[in-house]
Amino acid sequence: MNSDWLARRSTSTKKRQQDHRSPFQRDRARILHSAAFRRLQSKTQVISSGQSDFYRTRLTHSLEAAQIGSGITAQLRSKYPDLAAQLFPDDDTLIEALCLAHDIGHPPFGHGGEVALHYMMRKHGGFEGNGQTLRIVARLEPFSECHGMNLSRRTLLGLIKYPQLIDNLVHKVPNQAPVSYRQLQARHWHPPKGLYQDDSDIIDWILAPLSSNDRDLFQTIVTRDNMHSRTCYKSLDCSIMELADDIAYGIHDLEDAIVTGVVNRNDFDEYVIKPLLDSGEGWLANYCDGLTDKLFSEHHYLQKDAIGGLVNYLITAIELLPVNTNAQEFAEPLLRYNAKLPEEQANVLDIFKNFVLTFVVRLPAIQRIEYRGQQVVMELFEALSSDPERLLPTSTAKRWRAASDNGENAYRVIADYVAGMTDGYATRLYQTLFLPISTGDNYDAHS
């Protein structure tokens, strides 16, 4: 492996005495021990984290994605031993680190919080959960003085799902701002998927080993009418992480909805089993016989067996393929190959993901909770930005003053603070600022 991909922005960090860990084992440890990772335990995955102790949170989802990511790399090593020896580290800790960290930039209240922050930041560089993840690991988390967790360059590259600035992706015709926050329609304010102009120095450092041709190709975008532009490419490691994330979302999150009665077997038969049978694939058609009975059984071991079989079916189908650029080939091996599902299995995963989206995520009861969180985030941002030195915590107010004094984007500091909140903390702060409390206020010097 090119040693440039093992480099860290800060070289002053001392290696511990008799520390024999690989660079990626150290990266994984820094992620696991970070405050940003711990906060995932109280951030919504699909169903609100406060609704039940059973539901998956961003934390448990990330742990499951990490396990799936390890399974994917094991399969690829077995299928492509010569190629894998050139491309993969000796163990699975790199992919585990990426899967553990991939969601730490997501704000409270799921996509409702993301839409709210992007709306409030629309004139200040926007907000997007994946861009915030890079910002946390490479700038904010206090492992080092200035470079966040100070992760290796290859780990940072793997966390970049969309390698282009939001400013270059955003649809240029602005949506008309609503009269009040309560009238904001989320579908009009979803952010483009990309990175922040405020973090361009980080991006430049990560992509420094690439040739100019590779960098230009890697950051290629596709423009779309009346929509945000989108990026085209991601690194090999990112492609594995994204597959693990999608499988965990499409299959494991379905388990929450079934066990808790959010979805029913008639809808599952109509919108999952029938499309799966129409695919015409032999093994899958046979597996679908009795799948509904297992998933909706009172015997949880049958549910687990059915879920495990589906996950294994998808993982074992994944291939390692050259990236089709319709132009010149990437010179950098980490960009030249991606992990991909064959068309048949990709369609199967899409059936499950679309079912979760339609019958769980878009359920009115869940959308109402997401809408409420959207309002909380917008009002918190408005209040904090109205008088930052008065309302922000001392350390955050200091960052805000420094950014203001240096002519930097001080609104980004407020977005960092709000995005880092858990669902519960954001709710309590909202109550403190806007609702009367008759039993006496509680003061926390660190809030």
Side-chain angles (χ1 to χ4, degrees), residues 41 280 283:
Q41 66 187 305
W283 181 91

Side-chain angles (χ1 to χ4, degrees), residues 374-413:
Q374 179 180 305
Q375 304 306 308
V376 168
V377 168
M378 287 189 289
E379 294 206 33
L380 284 179
F381 190 99
E382 181 182 48
L384 294 169
S385 60
S386 70
D387 198 346
E389 295 193 76
R390 180 186 181 192
L391 298 177
L392 289 173
T394 302
S395 59
T396 308
K398 184 178 179 180
R399 286 185 57 222
W400 183 88
R401 284 193 299 272
S404 298
D405 292 343
N406 294 330
E408 299 172 359
N409 184 5
Y411 286 95
R412 183 65 63 193
V413 176

Side-chain angles (χ1 to χ4, degrees), residues 101-354:
H102 81 281
D103 265 354
I104 63 175
H106 284 269
F109 308 114
H111 290 293
E114 184 178 48
V115 166
L117 276 176
H118 178 60
Y119 176 74
M120 301 306 289
M121 288 290 290
R122 65 193 183 281
K123 297 180 181 180
H124 310 288
F127 179 90
E128 199 271 333
N130 297 285
Q132 190 69 17
T133 292
L134 180 65
R135 183 169 175 82
I136 288 172
V137 300
R139 193 182 300 281
L140 299 179
E141 189 67 28
F143 181 90
S144 65
E145 183 178 0
C146 301
H147 303 305
M149 297 181 193
N150 196 32
L151 303 179
S152 63
R153 183 184 264 119
R154 180 167 175 176
T155 300
L156 294 175
L157 179 70
L159 287 171
I160 297 179
K161 293 176 71 172
Y162 312 104
Q164 187 54 267
L165 300 179
I166 285 177
D167 292 354
N168 297 331
L169 298 166
V170 68
H171 182 47
K172 300 304 181 184
V173 180
N175 292 304
Q176 186 174 354
V179 175
S180 71
Y181 294 154
R182 293 186 179 184
Q183 295 181 17
L184 185 140
Q185 296 183 354
R187 68 179 183 273
H188 293 152
W189 292 99
H190 286 290
K193 294 183 179 298
L195 307 171
Y196 304 147
Q197 178 68 49
D198 297 322
D199 297 326
S200 57
D201 59 322
I202 298 171
I203 301 164
D204 288 341
W205 182 84
I206 296 171
L207 302 184
L210 300 180
S211 68
S212 58
N213 288 337
D214 269 7
R215 174 164 179 167
D216 289 344
L217 184 58
F218 187 51
Q219 295 190 291
T220 301
I221 64 174
V222 173
T223 58
R224 300 182 289 180
D225 293 339
N226 300 317
M227 297 177 68
H228 299 310
S229 301
R230 63 174 179 83
T231 58
C232 300
Y233 304 112
K234 56 182 65 69
S235 70
L236 166 64
D237 304 323
C238 184
S239 71
I240 297 173
M241 176 264 284
E242 195 165 41
L243 281 171
D245 182 24
D246 285 349
I247 292 171
Y249 166 76
I251 307 299
H252 283 297
D253 287 356
L254 173 64
E255 183 183 6
D256 281 1
I258 291 174
V259 173
T260 55
V262 173
V263 299
N264 62 66
R265 61 184 298 144
N266 290 333
D267 286 336
F268 186 80
D269 277 335
E270 179 70 22
Y271 295 98
V272 176
I273 296 299
K274 284 187 177 179
L276 291 179
L277 291 175
D278 289 342
S279 70
E281 197 273 328
W283 181 91
L284 188 62
N286 184 64
Y287 196 77
C288 284
D289 184 20
L291 179 59
T292 302
D293 289 337
K294 287 184 177 181
L295 288 175
F296 287 84
S297 171
E298 295 180 356
H299 302 293
H300 293 310
Y301 72 91
L302 294 177
Q303 295 171 345
K304 292 294 184 184
D305 179 62
I307 292 290
L310 289 169
V311 172
N312 183 72
Y313 165 72
L314 294 171
I315 289 177
T316 54
I318 292 173
E319 300 173 332
L320 192 60
L321 299 174
V323 173
N324 180 14
T325 64
N326 295 319
Q328 71 270 31
E329 184 180 73
F330 282 110
E332 171 55 55
L334 294 181
L335 304 184
R336 194 184 306 150
Y337 298 93
N338 271 187
K340 295 183 180 180
L341 277 170
E343 183 178 359
E344 182 178 283
Q345 284 78 13
N347 290 336
V348 168
L349 182 55
D350 282 342
I351 289 170
F352 281 98
K353 288 170 60 180
N354 290 335

